[in-house]
């Protein structure tokens, strides 16, 4: 199960500060430990999934405990959901978050930043790689890793599925689905990211579509010059690959720990 009980986190000595980067649901929880998370601690930023229309930061805390216990601060962010915004508008608002989180990290003099996104959150996270005017060379050099977990990278394959986009809740056309697909983007300033590891991971028990989109997205990043690792996690499905990040001994947690070593 997700480690969503905030009382359980508090019982571990984990504190939380709530910050705002915009109106409505544009809120960020910053988790830390008074014992081992200084203001300048490295920062892990997590973006939840839910097909851009479900879930929130309160049930997306599984990744918090292990990182805080290792001395990180962890930022878990919310965003406005479709249909209250279109997917295109949501991605514009996500760029506002990117600017905000780098401002926060610079203010705190963070020792570094890692990003992770799951499912639709992995899709949003690709915006970090194509945000001119927000990402400078100095900011890119702050980022040690970007972790894409069981993401959606080609909206052309799913935008017209009633199970994913009922009555076009995302508010997009086929042309917009193409324009909003990270697998098709050409990324500028690839040289900025020389010191950042890109990790595209996916669960073994996903649909063929999810696995192949992850594989092709990793190939696209690698082809354009990013240092990219692709991995299929055996025995996991779309949900427990993120749920088990709450367990320090799980295979996914050990993998995430190895990225930082």
């Amino acid at each position: 199960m997700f480690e969503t009980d905030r009382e359980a986190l508090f019982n571990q000595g984990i504190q939380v500060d709530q910050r705002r980067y915009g109106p409505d649901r544009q809120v960020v929880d910053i988790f830390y430990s008074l014992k081992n998370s200084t203001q300048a601690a490295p920062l892990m930023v997590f973006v939840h999934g839910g097909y851009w229309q479900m879930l929130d930061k309160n049930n997306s805390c599984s990744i918090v405990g292990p990182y805080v216990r290792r001395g990180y601060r962890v930022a878990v962010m919310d965003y406005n959901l479709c249909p209250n915004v279109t997917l295109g508008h949501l991605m514009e608002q996500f760029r506002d978050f990117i600017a905000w989180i780098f401002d926060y990290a610079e203010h705190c003099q963070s020792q570094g930043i890692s990003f992770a996104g799951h499912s639709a959150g992995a899709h949003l996270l690709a915006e970090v790689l194509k945000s001119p005017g927000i990402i400078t060379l100095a900011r890119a050099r702050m980022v040690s890793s970007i972790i894409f977990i069981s993401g959606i990278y080609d909206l052309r394959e799913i935008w017209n599925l009633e199970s994913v986009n009922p009555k076009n809740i995302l508010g997009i056309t086929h042309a917009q689905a193409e324009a909003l697909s990270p697998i098709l983007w050409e990324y500028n300033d690839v040289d900025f990211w020389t010191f950042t590891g890109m990790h595209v991971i996916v669960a073994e028990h996903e649909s063929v579509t999810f696995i192949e989109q992850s594989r092709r997205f990793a190939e696209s990043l690698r082809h354009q010059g990013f240092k990219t690792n692709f991995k299929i996690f055996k025995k996991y499905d779309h949900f427990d690959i993120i749920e088990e990040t709450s367990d320090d001994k799980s295979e996914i947690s050990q993998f995430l720990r190895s990225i930082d070593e």
Side-chain angles (χ1 to χ4, degrees):
M1 295 178 63
F2 280 98
E3 188 176 10
T4 59
D5 186 344
R6 296 166 79 85
E7 286 298 322
L9 293 174
F10 298 152
N11 290 339
Q12 298 172 39
I14 295 175
Q15 310 292 313
V16 62
D17 292 340
Q18 189 173 94
R19 306 294 180 91
R20 180 169 289 281
Y21 68 94
D24 304 320
R25 289 170 49 99
Q26 296 179 68
V27 177
V28 188
D29 283 348
I30 309 290
F31 295 89
Y32 59 96
S33 168
L34 294 175
K35 291 183 179 180
N36 63 358
S37 299
T38 66
Q39 180 168 289
L43 180 66
M44 161 55 76
V45 181
F46 180 70
V47 187
H48 72 77
Y51 279 140
W52 310 277
Q53 59 196 275
M54 296 177 286
L55 303 181
D56 59 30
K57 60 183 176 58
N58 294 323
N59 52 27
S60 303
C61 297
S62 58
I63 204 168
V64 171
Y67 272 93
V68 171
R69 287 190 284 273
R70 283 155 48 202
Y72 279 73
R73 286 186 166 233
V74 180
V76 180
M77 57 92 68
D78 258 350
Y79 47 86
N80 291 323
L81 300 176
C82 303
N84 293 324
V85 295
T86 65
L87 181 55
H89 191 197
L90 169 55
M91 295 177 76
E92 291 175 5
Q93 293 181 345
F94 189 76
R95 285 191 287 274
D96 294 337
F97 170 74
I98 295 170
W100 185 93
I101 199 68
F102 275 101
D103 286 344
Y104 173 83
E106 289 165 351
H107 173 75
C108 294
Q109 298 182 318
S110 298
Q111 297 171 16
I113 309 176
S114 299
F115 289 91
H118 174 244
S119 193
H123 166 265
L124 293 173
L125 192 55
E127 278 289 330
V128 174
L129 301 179
K130 62 176 291 286
S131 296
I134 298 175
I135 304 298
T136 62
L137 175 59
R139 284 182 162 182
R141 293 284 173 89
M142 295 174 66
V143 182
S144 59
S145 59
I146 302 180
I147 307 159
F148 302 93
I149 305 172
S150 290
I152 305 167
Y153 311 107
D154 190 343
L155 273 64
R156 296 173 302 176
E157 297 183 356
I158 57 92
W159 83 277
N160 60 348
L161 298 179
E162 190 68 16
S163 59
V164 175
N165 187 25
K167 298 181 179 178
N168 196 18
I169 196 173
L170 304 180
I172 58 176
T173 64
H174 182 270
Q176 289 170 322
E178 182 174 319
L180 298 175
S181 294
I183 206 167
L184 303 176
W185 294 345
E186 292 186 10
Y187 298 91
N188 299 316
D189 304 320
V190 174
D191 291 344
F192 281 14
W193 302 96
T194 303
F195 301 104
T196 303
M198 308 292 167
H199 301 273
V200 182
I201 65 178
V202 67
E204 176 186 27
H205 299 301
E206 297 275 11
S207 68
V208 172
T209 296
F210 266 85
I211 293 174
E212 288 309 308
Q213 283 203 16
S214 291
R215 191 190 310 276
R216 289 189 290 118
F217 181 56
E219 290 174 353
S220 175
L221 292 179
R222 192 178 296 118
H223 178 74
Q224 294 188 59
F226 293 102
K227 184 172 63 177
T228 306
N229 172 52
F230 172 71
K231 180 176 175 63
I232 298 176
F233 273 83
K234 302 295 184 181
K235 302 180 181 179
Y236 281 115
D237 63 28
H238 186 74
F239 300 102
D240 57 18
I241 195 172
I242 190 63
E243 292 169 359
E244 289 201 11
T245 59
S246 65
D247 180 358
D248 296 85
K249 297 181 180 180
S250 68
E251 182 182 354
I252 183 63
S253 281
Q254 291 179 23
F255 172 79
L256 295 176
R257 188 180 304 113
S258 72
I259 291 174
D260 304 321
E261 294 174 349

